[in-house]
Amino acid sequence: MRSCFLAPAGNCDAVKRVHTDHMTVAKVDNLPEAVAAMEDFAAGRDVPTC
């Protein structure tokens, strides 16, 4: 089972240096994008990633 982790878009470079095989790291810029990413992930849809 994969998990979803929210990351500010400005932190994506740091995220790329971390082992993320068991999670999806969703790239977000604001709260509405974070909510949408969580809803999309829960529904099985693709989310923008780092």
Side-chain angles (χ1 to χ4, degrees), residues 32-50:
E33 286 183 8
V35 171
M38 294 301 292
E39 291 173 344
D40 288 344
F41 182 82
R45 296 185 290 267
D46 290 335
V47 297
T49 60
C50 287

Side-chain angles (χ1 to χ4, degrees), residues 3-50:
S3 299
C4 185
F5 180 84
L6 302 175
N11 291 1
C12 280
D13 285 340
V15 170
K16 292 176 185 174
R17 295 187 300 255
V18 178
H19 180 71
T20 60
D21 285 348
H22 299 291
M23 69 177 125
T24 298
V25 180
K27 176 176 68 172
V28 298
D29 285 310
N30 53 49
L31 183 58
E33 286 183 8
V35 171
M38 294 301 292
E39 291 173 344
D40 288 344
F41 182 82
R45 296 185 290 267
D46 290 335
V47 297
T49 60
C50 287

